Amino acid sequence: MSQPVNACKLNQRSCPKGQEKHGQSSAPEAETKINVTFFPDKSGAKCTTENVTLGELREYVLNTSRRKKDALPLLKLAMFGAKRTAQGSLRHNANVLQITGVELDYDGEQIGFAAALEVLTSMGVSALLYTSRSHREAAPRWRIVAPTSQPCPPDVRAKLLARLNGFLKAELGVAELAAVESFTLSQAYFYGWVSDGPKPDHRAEVIHGDFIDQRADLIRFEAIGAKSAERSIGEYGDYFAEYAEQHGLKLGKTEEELVALLKQSRATPGKGWREPMLKFVGSTVGKGWTDLQIKLACGPYSDGGVDDPDVQKLIDDTRRKFGKPEPTEADDVGPHQATGENKHIDPVDLWGKFVPPSLPRGLLPDVIEREA
């Protein structure tokens, strides 16, 4: 299969004759080259594509280090086009031309690297398992990259990832495994380790087996490994970036920072969760998000999901406090306006000094409510 036109600078390694194309050589699986896109930073403004084996990719992971977490490069088993977002990023869903594999990110901090390696080995698929930048032995975090036998259409990725996720969930006996961002088509992942800190518990191991797209027996795991409709913050965030670009909305805080607030709210029980959740609601109200947009984003981090009444109350209280009613279709910026003039929505700066509305009772266990 020939490679599509790519906006990235091609920096492909030379291969012996017959190994130029991903997944189409007669060489042992360990020598098969995989198209991997590398981003030097999280802006997504630049990228390169290389043909590497899983063993070579492992060396990249083990030998790459930076002094700061956010300075690490990212990798993605996909091929991107030339379309950029308003912020200049090539890394977004609409710009994915083909996938060359799937990635599964685990940040639950309960399942150790050794246990994941054992189960993945028993699955018998080719993959690289490596610890993520925040991994510690006492709080394990890791991810899996599993290549396909050849470049595939983007729409098959969710099914292949569901098979991988479903198998691991079944074998490990857990209700949740893959982080929700794993299901975002264009999501890229940091690799390497941070040198300006404690000695890292950094590991990377290659598993040799079949390509995941050639294992029809794994179809039975799709149902239990599929993404829940409510756990869609990654795709929603990408959708909103495109929506904002089309309608001229001012983002202010980046999408990644907003998502980080939601993660923080879920990870800090007791009083700790209130401030990040309230800041998220306050900021998105100020940016002109509709109630539905806010609830879709908060759904994965709320006990009641998208329709959690407590989230709706936070939205209502915030709108009253700052005098920001829910925008209607007439408030949207776009060509539907008869004058053709764009109307920009200026966000309220709620990040410096944010006075949150009162939190409804009954969200937390009684023992925590009494302490709050």
Side-chain angles (χ1 to χ4, degrees):
M1 179 179 295
S2 60
Q3 295 182 8
V5 176
N6 200 313
C8 308
K9 177 183 176 183
L10 293 179
N11 183 24
Q12 299 175 336
R13 296 169 179 265
S14 59
C15 307
K17 186 177 182 180
Q19 294 186 27
E20 295 87 351
K21 298 178 181 179
H22 172 100
Q24 294 189 7
S25 77
S26 58
E29 179 278 336
E31 299 302 319
T32 300
K33 300 287 184 175
I34 307 156
N35 293 120
V36 182
T37 295
F38 296 95
F39 295 91
D41 56 57
K42 64 181 182 180
S43 72
K46 298 178 181 179
C47 60
T48 58
T49 298
E50 293 192 35
N51 286 345
V52 297
T53 65
L54 283 177
E56 291 170 332
L57 189 58
R58 176 178 181 269
E59 293 303 310
Y60 284 12
V61 170
L62 290 176
N63 297 322
T64 299
S65 66
R66 299 288 188 273
R67 296 188 64 182
K68 303 290 185 181
K69 287 183 178 181
D70 287 347
L72 285 168
L74 300 88
L75 61 82
K76 179 66 180 177
L77 271 61
M79 303 170 76
F80 292 81
K83 183 179 179 182
R84 295 180 182 272
T85 65
Q87 294 76 33
S89 177
L90 293 164
R91 183 171 53 85
H92 58 100
N93 287 359
N95 198 38
V96 176
L97 302 179
Q98 292 176 308
I99 66 161
T100 57
V102 298
E103 306 87 6
L104 184 151
D105 188 46
Y106 172 74
D107 58 10
E109 300 187 346
Q110 299 297 318
I111 301 169
F113 185 90
L117 179 61
E118 180 179 359
V119 173
L120 190 58
T121 301
S122 72
M123 188 178 182
V125 297
S126 296
L128 171 67
L129 172 68
Y130 71 92
T131 53
S132 57
R133 56 181 182 162
S134 300
H135 168 82
R136 291 294 179 268
E137 194 67 31
R141 294 185 172 212
W142 41 262
R143 58 183 55 109
I144 300 167
V145 293
T148 53
S149 61
Q150 60 183 349
C152 298
D155 59 4
V156 307
R157 184 181 183 278
K159 291 184 178 181
L160 296 178
L161 178 58
R163 297 176 191 182
L164 176 61
N165 187 38
F167 183 93
L168 293 171
K169 286 173 62 176
E171 292 298 310
L172 292 167
V174 295
E176 296 291 344
L177 190 105
V180 66
E181 291 85 356
S182 302
F183 286 92
T184 301
L185 177 61
S186 58
Q187 184 73 36
Y189 294 94
F190 290 105
Y191 67 94
W193 51 282
V194 180
S195 59
D196 192 11
K199 184 178 180 180
D201 303 312
H202 194 45
R203 294 186 61 185
E205 298 292 342
V206 173
I207 298 92
H208 299 301
D210 304 314
F211 292 108
I212 192 166
D213 59 315
Q214 296 181 334
R215 288 285 300 277
D217 60 302
L218 297 176
I219 293 177
R220 66 183 187 275
F221 294 103
E222 280 185 19
I224 63 171
K227 179 193 66 176
S228 167
E230 292 182 357
R231 296 180 61 82
S232 57
I233 181 62
E235 287 188 357
Y236 174 74
D238 190 80
Y239 153 75
F240 183 74
E242 294 181 5
Y243 177 92
E245 178 181 352
Q246 293 169 4
H247 296 279
L249 299 180
K250 296 181 180 180
L251 290 173
K253 280 284 182 180
T254 68
E255 165 194 336
E256 290 181 351
E257 289 172 309
L258 291 177
V259 173
L261 278 174
L262 289 175
K263 286 184 176 180
Q264 183 184 347
S265 70
R266 197 54 160 169
T268 52
K271 288 184 178 180
W273 78 276
R274 302 184 184 193
E275 183 176 351
M277 178 66 82
L278 289 169
K279 281 186 175 180
F280 176 88
V281 172
S283 181
T284 49
V285 165
K287 289 182 174 71
W289 290 33
T290 65
D291 287 13
L292 178 58
Q293 288 172 330
I294 297 172
K295 289 189 292 185
L296 282 170
C298 293
Y301 305 94
S302 307
D303 292 339
V306 173
D307 297 320
D308 193 321
D310 295 314
V311 172
Q312 182 65 62
K313 188 176 189 308
L314 291 179
I315 296 171
D316 294 341
D317 289 346
T318 302
R319 292 198 186 284
R320 284 194 297 270
K321 186 176 184 66
F322 294 101
K324 298 286 289 187
E326 182 178 13
T328 64
E329 183 177 354
D331 296 322
D332 285 343
V333 179
H336 66 272
Q337 293 178 326
T339 62
E341 297 178 354
N342 284 340
K343 173 184 172 184
H344 293 279
I345 300 174
D346 293 324
V348 176
D349 183 10
L350 304 173
W351 296 92
K353 295 181 179 180
F354 180 78
V355 181
S358 59
L359 186 74
R361 307 291 291 181
L363 291 178
L364 305 172
D366 291 341
V367 63
I368 298 178
E369 289 280 6
R370 289 195 295 270
E371 296 293 326

